[in-house]
Amino acid sequence: MTSSFTTAIGAGPSGYSLPLSPSGGSAALTPPPWHFAGEVIMVDYRVDPAVAAAFLPPELDAGTDPGAAAAVFAQWQWCSASGAELAVPDRCRFGEFLILLGCSHRGRPLARCPYAWVDQPVPMLRGWVQGMPKQLGVIHQTMPVRVGEAGPRLGAPGGFTGTASVHGQRIVTATVNVSGPIAEPPPLHTVPLVHTRMFPAWLPGEQPLSQLVTSKVTGVEFTEIWAGQASLEIFDGIDADLGRLRPVEVGRGYVFGYAETLCHGEPLEPGGNQ
Amino acid sequence: MTSSFTTAIGAGPSGYSLPLSPSGGSAALTPPPWHFAGEVIMVDYRVDPAVAAAFLPPELDAGTDPGAAAAVFAQWQWCSASGAELAVPDRCRFGEFLILLGCSHRGRPLARCPYAWVDQPVPMLRGWVQGMPKQLGVIHQTMPVRVGEAGPRLGAPGGFTGTASVHGQRIVTATVNVSGPIAEPPPLHTVPLVHTRMFPAWLPGEQPLSQLVTSKVTGVEFTEIWAGQASLEIFDGIDADLGRLRPVEVGRGYVFGYAETLCHGEPLEPGGNQ
Amino acid sequence: MTSSFTTAIGAGPSGYSLPLSPSGGSAALTPPPWHFAGEVIMVDYRVDPAVAAAFLPPELDAGTDPGAAAAVFAQWQWCSASGAELAVPDRCRFGEFLILLGCSHRGRPLARCPYAWVDQPVPMLRGWVQGMPKQLGVIHQTMPVRVGEAGPRLGAPGGFTGTASVHGQRIVTATVNVSGPIAEPPPLHTVPLVHTRMFPAWLPGEQPLSQLVTSKVTGVEFTEIWAGQASLEIFDGIDADLGRLRPVEVGRGYVFGYAETLCHGEPLEPGGNQ
Amino acid sequence: MTSSFTTAIGAGPSGYSLPLSPSGGSAALTPPPWHFAGEVIMVDYRVDPAVAAAFLPPELDAGTDPGAAAAVFAQWQWCSASGAELAVPDRCRFGEFLILLGCSHRGRPLARCPYAWVDQPVPMLRGWVQGMPKQLGVIHQTMPVRVGEAGPRLGAPGGFTGTASVHGQRIVTATVNVSGPIAEPPPLHTVPLVHTRMFPAWLPGEQPLSQLVTSKVTGVEFTEIWAGQASLEIFDGIDADLGRLRPVEVGRGYVFGYAETLCHGEPLEPGGNQ
């Protein structure tokens, strides 16, 4: 596969990412685009607007609805353009939990992801390339079933729970009891994400790379979206800053399938901000 | 919940299984019945009939189709009668890979499970109570998707792969390319399983408990069953005996959803064989 | 290796435990004896004596020091008589956390283990054969170092922490700051353990196997034992009964190496209690 | 703790790495220096010199001993300057397997690490900051014991094995039978590592950051080093390029304790190569 993202470094070993190798085939990450399809449990909630503001870089503001937030669980399947990972299920599946904060840039509505956890290393590293602050955690979700009594049925009322833990401590529990389908996706799931691409300093006197970017996404597709009452707890055991994003109010919950193709990044301010 | 399986041992701590505790609530296992619903990838295949025979206890024979075998992957969701586990997704989901051998007892068609692996400890221990030889492994499956390009669509032609590994070594890879629905479930998925309930000797001179049992199952439900061409590799890296169950011929593959409720065991020979 | 524990079941597949196979080599468990060597962090503490009593079966009493308890972390290496597992480090190492309660049987001092967790499936299953209620958890310990600054030095004052988590929730944190060596091992580490060997009921009307046993141990060896101040927290997030064993008083802490060979079980009351 | 590596980005959230947060305390990585102490199993071996050359960037050459290589397993404990991680053993321990290739830069002897795997996410991410191509794997080592029969004794002849697996497949097995202490450390463990710090391209038209660096290390300390015969297998199941680094000759094996403090990076060519 030819990609503008495949890196050739002189005559030496190559790859889109480390590890570099003679054929380029050892790279931990394949170059974009990457296709994703997942089953999502999502809860709208509100945080203290002053806390949300403290998580935003100076280039962003709180937008028209300060304190709007969401907790999102997903069980994903992914593949590169070639689809090769689908034949290696050890590689193509992962779980994710992330928090979204509503924000805006010069009037453009966006979402900021202050925290994200995944349960596989490749999506974690891929997150860092994009500026998405993914760490490794343990993520679990109740899934819909097609037959039998061991779970809520697909496309029917029922209860779903998501949990995430880090370093042996629970960080979040969310429940959604869906009662019927709705027409529109949750608002924070429809605006672009804005990330800080960051590469930490390592050489004496060096400044870290730090750059605000959004992501170019295509092929967005939703299944029918079911909605209903929700509950949400966020715990501060491992991180006091995370605990400050606990809900001051919990809104509606959603369960749905979602797909997208992630193509590349875009500078938030064209021509600038490096 | 009252169950004939809840154990009260005199005035002391109680539970259906270890650990025993004052309320009985610490038991690793809840008493049956247990509900299961899962997404299955299955491959019919044939082993050397002499090898299959060497895996059967003397009370069983090879039946009408010696060498008939199947490799079965499943991603399960389960709960006790109360459904409580569905609200704790850390507990209600597991993956499984198992091998089935066709056999019979006095003309009654049965299936023998010589090997099974799951990725959670509770189903592993529950297996030993039933006589199912479950060990801990790492199980992965390609899953159908409802939207997008990151996988085969639910209810459509496409390719699925299952893998399992133990102690850091691959033991099996199976692929199924489904081309259309069929009317009947795979034969080895419709006969009762016959297990050896076994509790190893620990006291000097003791004989192990060893007892042939089948399982009482209700609520069996299949989704539409898709079938097509399959491939299957079984590796002997960790266990030479396992390697002897490698395919001499690979048959049809299947992808489907399946549910059942597991109620209790039944002695293979009523009134006997203890 | 010949062992009185190797099981031959007629002409069929064999093994000390499930899975049974033609050569007997697939068994999850090797027959005893098993050698163990580990690095231990231990904290003496006291529980409410009424709670301790509620964890004892009627055949046992609280002994001369009701409420005496200990929390024990260990990083183990183990092997069968052949030593074969030492060449497969995926198999020969595991971490453990357990609680001990002082008790007695007709004046004989013993220890009861109401809860134990290990991080590998083979020690878990082996525990059930002995009647030790081992479940799967995540166990971590600070280890002594031989060089450098990344930890307390072996055989020197310093701080050690043990943690255990189950289903993504912390169940215990213990810290020990050792200040010097002592002459005698911790009392609860020197008395025999008394377990309830239990095999749950599965057939209608069946009574579970339930049998009080102690263990025959040889080759006990301690390194120098360092002791000092300790702290201990036990959490009830996953299990209210476990939470009742939280400390009402915390005593001394210990850090040491320990080895033993576990040979077989012994009925608590010879000729009886089956 | 004040560190020149702590990042303050304007008035917004801060941290040495992602995730950025109001206090800076959520960062996945603490700033250097980092202290390490570990137990090492190492095997000297030789690869095809033409293969080794294909893994070197054009700025480096094969040096005076083309084809010199080593396989290194380590069980590490680490902490930041504050030592805080030692009280959270969930965070301070990890296992590692890496390969080293001898090389040189303008006559200066160096070692190149083409592949490395660790079993915890923080050391993996920290590797990428330094240019060390760490991926997530499963690493196991036989450990020396202080008492008993379940392993080789510390400071005595005996056998040690290291294994690593990735995506459920074994990538390496190494064994060392140490027979006595030696005076000098293994040569490839005494030269600086030279890494390619790389941050993949994400914006259209962007070139990846790619920069050759060495690491500034202090506080190097070895225990007594035991040496003896060794064996080594490297498998190509998951990666054909990795398989090309299999041994054409296996040399001596070593077992020892090692400590260092990792301070910061240094450009390979001062003032250049960005």
Side-chain angles (χ1 to χ4, degrees), chain C residues 157-233:
Chain C
F160 294 81
T161 300
T163 61
S165 296
V166 178
H167 288 310
Q169 297 191 63
R170 182 65 39 95
I171 58 170
V172 62
T173 299
T175 64
V176 175
N177 282 285
V178 299
S179 50
I182 60 171
E184 294 298 321
L188 279 179
H189 211 285
T190 61
V191 294
L193 299 183
V194 55
H195 301 306
T196 301
R197 280 186 90 202
M198 186 182 174
F199 196 59
W202 178 233
L203 305 183
E206 184 185 30
Q207 288 301 309
L209 169 69
S210 179
Q211 178 182 38
L212 285 172
V213 296
T214 58
S215 302
K216 173 69 177 172
V217 166
T218 60
V220 168
E221 205 177 340
F222 284 87
T223 64
E224 193 175 56
I225 297 166
W226 280 63
Q229 288 189 313
S231 73
L232 176 67
E233 288 180 285

Side-chain angles (χ1 to χ4, degrees), chain A residues 176-203:
Chain A
V176 175
N177 281 286
V178 298
S179 50
I182 59 171
E184 294 297 322
L188 279 178
H189 211 286
T190 61
V191 294
L193 300 182
V194 55
H195 301 306
T196 302
R197 278 187 90 203
M198 187 182 173
F199 196 58
W202 177 235
L203 306 182

Side-chain angles (χ1 to χ4, degrees), chain C:
Chain C
M1 189 191 61
T2 303
S3 161
S4 61
F5 287 100
T6 304
T7 299
I9 300 178
S14 64
Y16 174 64
S17 77
L18 297 180
L20 307 176
S21 71
S23 77
S26 294
L29 306 183
T30 51
W34 308 303
H35 303 299
F36 297 87
E39 296 292 326
V40 180
I41 299 174
M42 181 166 172
V43 175
D44 284 340
Y45 79 104
R46 304 195 71 78
V47 299
D48 178 339
V51 170
F55 275 92
L56 297 180
E59 295 84 348
L60 303 178
D61 63 71
T64 57
D65 187 16
V72 185
F73 290 86
Q75 294 294 320
W76 294 110
Q77 192 158 281
W78 75 275
C79 62
S80 301
S82 72
E85 292 82 3
L86 299 177
V88 192
D90 311 65
R91 299 190 183 211
C92 70
R93 295 195 59 80
F94 68 99
E96 183 169 39
F97 165 68
L98 57 83
I99 293 176
L100 297 177
L101 300 176
C103 65
S104 99
H105 179 251
R106 300 182 181 172
R108 179 188 181 198
L110 298 165
R112 179 75 173 174
C113 173
Y115 295 102
W117 287 268
V118 290
D119 58 13
Q120 290 289 338
V122 164
M124 183 176 78
L125 288 168
R126 203 161 45 200
W128 287 54
V129 171
Q130 306 163 50
M132 202 162 178
K134 297 192 184 189
Q135 297 181 84
L136 211 67
V138 178
I139 323 287
H140 291 284
Q141 290 173 231
T142 318
M143 295 291 279
V145 299
R146 295 198 284 157
V147 284
E149 301 177 50
R153 289 289 179 109
L154 191 65
F160 294 81
T161 300
T163 61
S165 296
V166 178
H167 288 310
Q169 297 191 63
R170 182 65 39 95
I171 58 170
V172 62
T173 299
T175 64
V176 175
N177 282 285
V178 299
S179 50
I182 60 171
E184 294 298 321
L188 279 179
H189 211 285
T190 61
V191 294
L193 299 183
V194 55
H195 301 306
T196 301
R197 280 186 90 202
M198 186 182 174
F199 196 59
W202 178 233
L203 305 183
E206 184 185 30
Q207 288 301 309
L209 169 69
S210 179
Q211 178 182 38
L212 285 172
V213 296
T214 58
S215 302
K216 173 69 177 172
V217 166
T218 60
V220 168
E221 205 177 340
F222 284 87
T223 64
E224 193 175 56
I225 297 166
W226 280 63
Q229 288 189 313
S231 73
L232 176 67
E233 288 180 285
I234 291 177
F235 304 99
D236 62 0
I238 60 154
D239 183 347
D241 279 3
L242 168 62
R244 295 176 67 193
L245 291 179
R246 69 167 56 86
V248 296
E249 186 185 329
V250 177
R252 193 151 67 158
Y254 312 88
V255 173
F256 54 93
Y258 173 80
E260 67 172 37
T261 297
L262 185 50
C263 300
H264 57 75
E266 295 183 330
L268 183 62
E269 300 182 346
N273 82 19
Q274 189 119 15

